[in-house]
């Protein structure tokens, strides 16, 4: 399944880490094709969430370093935009091969820095790899349009041109997939790029950048800066950056959307979620239970498409015992352990927040069917672990329902009918994903027509589209009008130019000052 088609990355010390004796090592910046050490005094620890060990440190990129990264991208742009699309595609062909050969290393880094299980980390890389594969067809994806003879001797055609320097700001939960949603599409369209990985787990993005250079991406086409709020604000404000891709929370996303758009930039902002499943009494029991457990607790609930709320038409009672049984059998352990179903959550603060929201549900009348807050994992007593947690009788005015929990917590609600269930989902401010479990085609079709969510699953718990479609979150889960990847992704990273040309032999005509009309 994973043939090593090229030699895997073999550097003993990765070029993106400092080779000084400093321990833990410092993560470098990527500027103009070189991995360079930052001169910043301030740094942030990258911590293994299963052990609290500091794995590395990222610098808070200085203003000068940020400007140097943007300058490198700006300088590389003219040459890169004039590089034939076939050459750009060929680099992506090579790139996908290199990513495949290094899947295990990338996954291992993700598990160390982010915590998810190795198998899940492998999926994180694979879903990003699919975007790189898609970018290999950019010649077709970027095609323009042509209408011949719109008027006598006149043809009109449109072309999609790259924008210039684009930027991406990433969240912690998919350290490989989300950077790969961004720069492969952008650069294969002919743009150059400045990427800011999550300060919590930058390693996978750095390894991917190293592989992109090895695949032949010219110097300055991809640059990487690190940091938090200040560098993000620099990205929003910089005159040379034309477009910003963001994925993360609503607080950061709406701030970035308004600040960067006020500077005239394009912004696509994928944000938080509260994804519901509606379960009808006629649903296939076994398949539905497995889907709810996998989508509710996989990645410790830290997926923007996690199914965090299950709305049972007729009530959850008939499902509760089996849900608790299956959730209790999940193994919570370090993501490196081969038996682990769930790893830790990203930080102590994240664990605290999750536990507080569970407590608020308990205090406001929800029934706690399963409580994973006090779990202790042998040999990883310091890890940020939360075990699977299930709250029943949840109501839509409860804090635990209104907030995105982003942890392994499944909320159970009751609806009287399918219409009632759809209304519950539609009243929620988020619109990332929603699923229905039923054996009735009529009910499924009604759900598909009436539900207000960007990504709809019918007997599918996590309906994340493959890259030939787009990731189409809606309502408060998205700001902007061109989604990530697919056709919309190419449109986001290109500007249409429409050309009207006249080539005809005609006798001299009298000058006409009226508005030209088709002849
Ligand atoms: P986050 O918003 O805390 O961080 C995301 C990025 O924004 C980071 O690079 C961070 O440095 C920066 N940032 C954070 N706060 C900022 C601020 N106030 N000003 C400027 N920059 C800021 O998000 P996170 O905790 O890393 O990721 C989890 C969130 O991402 C969840 O809400 C999840 O639903 C969402 N998410 C959404 C999608 C999607 O496609 N809709 C995908 C993955 C994650």
């Amino acid at each position: 399944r994973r043939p090593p088609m090229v030699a895997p990355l073999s550097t003993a010390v990765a070029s993106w880490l400092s080779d000084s004796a400093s321990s833990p090592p410092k993560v470098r910046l990527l500027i103009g094709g070189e991995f360079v050490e930052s001169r910043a005094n301030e740094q942030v620890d990258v911590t293994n969430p299963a052990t609290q060990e500091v794995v590395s440190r990222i610098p808070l990129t200085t203003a000068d370093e940020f400007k140097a990264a943007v300058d490198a991208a700006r300088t590389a742009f003219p040459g890169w935009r004039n590089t034939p699309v076939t050459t750009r595609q060929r680099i992506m062909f090579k790139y996908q091969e290199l990513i495949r050969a290094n899947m295990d290393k990338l996954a291992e880094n993700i598990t160390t820095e982010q915590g998810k299980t190795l198998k899940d980390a492998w999926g994180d890389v694979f879903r990003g790899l699919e975007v790189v594969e898609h970018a290999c067809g950019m010649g077709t994806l970027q095609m323009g349009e042509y209408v011949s003879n719109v008027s006598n001797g006149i043809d009109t055609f449109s072309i999609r041109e790259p924008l210039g320097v684009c930027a991406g700001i990433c969240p912690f939960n998919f350290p490989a997939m989300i950077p790969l949603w961004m720069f492969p599409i952008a650069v294969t369209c002919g743009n150059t790029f400045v990427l800011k990985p999550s300060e919590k787990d930058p390693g996978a993005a750095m390894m991917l950048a190293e592989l992109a250079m090895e695949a032949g991406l010219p110097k300055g086409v991809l640059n990487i800066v690190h940091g938090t709020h200040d560098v993000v604000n620099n990205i929003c404000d910089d005159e040379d950056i034309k477009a910003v891709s963001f994925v993360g929370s609503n607080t950061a996303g709406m701030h970035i959307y308004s600040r960067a758009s006020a500077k005239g930039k394009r912004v696509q902002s994928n944000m938080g979620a509260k994804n519901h499943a509606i379960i009808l009494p006629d649903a296939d029991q076994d398949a539905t239970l497995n889907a709810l457990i996998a989508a509710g607790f996989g990645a410790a609930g830290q997926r923007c498409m996690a199914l965090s709320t299950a709305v049972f038409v007729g009530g959850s009672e008939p499902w509760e015992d089996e849900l608790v049984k299956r959730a209790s059998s999940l193994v919570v352990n370090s993501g490196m352990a081969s038996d682990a179903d769930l790893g830790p959550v990203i930080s102590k603060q994240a664990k605290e927040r999750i536990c507080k929201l569970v407590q608020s549900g308990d205090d406001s009348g929800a029934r706690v069917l399963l409580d994973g807050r006090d779990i202790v994992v042998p040999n990883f007593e310091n890890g940020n672990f939360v075990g699977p947690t299930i709250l029943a009788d949840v109501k839509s005015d409860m804090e635990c329902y209104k907030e995105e929990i982003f942890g392994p917590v499944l909320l159970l609600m009751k609806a009287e009918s399918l219409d009632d269930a759809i209304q519950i989902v539609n009243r929620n401010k988020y619109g990332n994903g929603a699923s229905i479990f039923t054996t009735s085609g009529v009910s499924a079709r009604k759900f598909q027509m009436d539900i207000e969510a960007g990504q709809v699953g019918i007997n599918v718990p996590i309906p994340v589209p493959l890259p030939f479609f787009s990731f189409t979150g809606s309502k408060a889960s998205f700001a902007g009008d061109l989604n990530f990847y697919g056709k919309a992704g190419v449109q986001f990273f290109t500007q249409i130019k429409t050309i009207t040309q006249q080539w005809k032999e005609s006798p001299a005509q009298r000058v006409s000052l009226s508005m030209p009309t088709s002849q």
Side-chain angles (χ1 to χ4, degrees):
R1 206 163 146 229
R2 292 179 258 162
M5 288 176 278
V6 289
L9 203 63
S10 60
T11 32
V13 179
S15 53
W16 54 273
L17 280 173
S18 60
D19 51 10
S20 63
S22 72
S23 176
K26 289 189 221 148
V27 181
R28 289 175 166 161
L29 307 167
L30 174 60
I31 300 179
E34 306 297 330
F35 286 101
V36 294
E37 233 157 281
S38 169
R39 295 211 191 85
N41 297 322
E42 288 179 275
Q43 294 170 8
V44 176
D45 289 346
V46 176
T47 308
N48 180 331
T51 61
Q52 307 306 331
E53 176 205 358
V54 178
V55 185
S56 61
R57 294 209 162 106
I58 59 122
L60 299 189
T61 308
T62 66
D64 286 349
E65 289 163 348
F66 170 73
K67 199 62 212 153
V70 177
D71 283 348
R74 189 171 40 77
T75 308
F77 179 60
W80 182 239
R81 66 163 281 169
N82 288 327
T83 301
V85 67
T86 42
T87 306
R88 299 200 299 254
Q89 285 182 156
R90 253 172 233 130
I91 293 171
M92 287 298 126
F93 272 116
K94 177 76 182 165
Y95 190 35
Q96 64 83 26
E97 205 180 322
L98 287 167
I99 294 174
R100 273 174 200 279
N102 287 281
M103 294 285 284
D104 292 340
K105 269 195 162 175
L106 283 156
E108 203 175 299
N109 177 281
I110 291 172
T111 300
T112 305
E113 295 186 1
Q114 201 273 354
K116 63 178 73 174
T117 65
L118 270 177
K119 205 166 164 207
D120 196 30
W122 205 84
D124 185 333
V125 184
F126 196 83
R127 292 302 295 255
L129 169 72
E130 289 175 321
V131 180
V132 178
E133 290 171 344
H134 190 61
C136 292
M138 191 54 74
T140 311
L141 299 171
Q142 208 174 340
M143 261 183 191
E145 294 175 327
Y146 195 106
V147 177
S148 168
N149 220 33
V150 292
S151 184
N152 233 338
I154 297 183
D155 314 311
T156 298
F157 59 98
S158 63
I159 54 176
R160 293 205 157 270
E161 295 191 319
L163 305 173
V165 182
C166 301
I169 302 163
C170 304
F172 79 83
N173 66 328
F174 281 98
M177 178 183 81
I178 287 173
L180 291 174
W181 280 4
M182 297 175 175
F183 72 82
I185 301 285
V187 303
T188 319
C189 285
N191 299 287
T192 56
F193 210 82
V194 177
L195 183 79
K196 191 204 89 66
S198 168
E199 64 278 15
K200 299 191 173 81
D201 45 22
M206 299 310 290
M207 292 168 87
L208 287 166
E210 196 170 35
L211 294 173
M213 307 294 295
E214 196 177 329
L217 213 57
K219 288 174 192 265
V221 172
L222 173 65
N223 304 274
I224 299 195
V225 294
H226 299 290
T228 57
H229 300 27
D230 287 348
V231 76
V232 167
N233 287 338
N234 285 340
I235 289 174
C236 294
D237 296 346
D238 194 281
E239 298 290 337
D240 286 324
I241 293 178
K242 305 298 179 204
V244 179
S245 278
F246 169 81
V247 180
S249 65
N250 284 63
T251 313
M254 286 317 294
H255 164 73
I256 291 164
Y257 184 76
S258 50
R259 188 159 174 154
S261 350
K263 289 278 177 183
K265 298 184 202 320
R266 293 181 177 199
V267 188
Q268 52 175 194
S269 180
N270 266 10
M271 297 175 287
K274 196 85 183 176
N275 307 303
H276 296 68
I278 293 178
I279 299 100
L280 298 190
D282 64 12
D284 178 304
Q285 258 219 332
D286 194 51
T288 304
L289 283 162
N290 282 343
L292 293 178
I293 296 292
F297 303 119
Q302 298 176 114
R303 291 183 184 133
C304 65
M305 285 292 282
L307 267 185
S308 54
T309 309
V311 184
F312 293 88
V313 173
S316 57
E317 286 81 2
W319 300 80
E320 289 174 5
D321 287 350
E322 197 55 33
L323 269 176
V324 170
K325 189 172 141 210
R326 294 187 192 201
S328 311
S329 72
L330 297 174
V331 177
V332 183
N333 203 345
S334 152
M336 291 291 180
S338 57
D339 65 344
D341 292 309
L342 284 76
V345 297
I346 190 71
S347 63
K348 290 235 171 288
Q349 294 86 324
K351 175 170 177 170
E352 240 167 63
R353 197 181 152 274
I354 293 164
C355 294
K356 231 164 99 186
L357 283 165
V358 171
Q359 189 57 47
S360 81
D362 189 6
D363 294 344
S364 49
R367 272 184 298 131
V368 183
L369 301 183
L370 183 64
D371 191 344
R373 284 176 289 176
D374 294 329
I375 195 165
V376 177
V377 175
N379 302 320
F380 295 94
E381 288 78 4
N382 287 328
N384 316 317
F385 293 97
V386 183
T389 299
I390 302 178
L391 303 187
D393 297 342
V394 171
K395 303 281 182 308
S396 36
D397 58 355
M398 291 181 184
E399 215 47 41
C400 63
Y401 175 76
K402 290 191 283 185
E403 292 285 312
E404 180 184 33
I405 299 180
F406 224 54
V409 182
L410 183 62
L411 308 181
L412 313 187
M413 297 175 87
K414 177 180 179 177
E416 299 303 335
S417 61
L418 175 57
D419 280 316
D420 183 26
I422 290 174
Q423 275 185 33
I424 292 174
V425 180
N426 287 352
R427 274 198 300 268
N428 193 282
K429 69 174 177 174
Y430 293 110
N432 220 28
S435 293
I436 190 167
F437 293 91
T438 180
T439 45
S440 156
V442 174
S443 304
R445 189 163 186 283
K446 178 179 176 50
F447 173 81
Q448 174 229 305
M449 299 291 280
D450 294 351
I451 205 74
E452 292 168 8
Q455 302 176 106
V456 174
I458 295 173
N459 296 319
V460 171
I462 307 186
V464 175
L466 285 165
F468 21 90
F469 293 95
S470 296
F471 189 101
T472 48
S474 63
K475 292 165 72 181
S477 300
F478 180 69
D481 47 12
L482 291 169
N483 294 107
F484 280 78
Y485 61 77
K487 288 196 184 88
V490 175
Q491 287 164 7
F492 180 77
F493 286 117
T494 52
Q495 169 68 49
I496 300 185
K497 186 183 270 178
T498 310
I499 296 111
T500 301
Q501 65 176 3
Q502 172 172 272
W503 296 108
K504 64 179 177 187
E505 290 174 35
S506 59
Q509 289 171 345
R510 285 192 54 201
V511 63
S512 165
L513 271 65
S514 50
M515 183 68 184
T517 54
S518 172
Q519 310 277 329

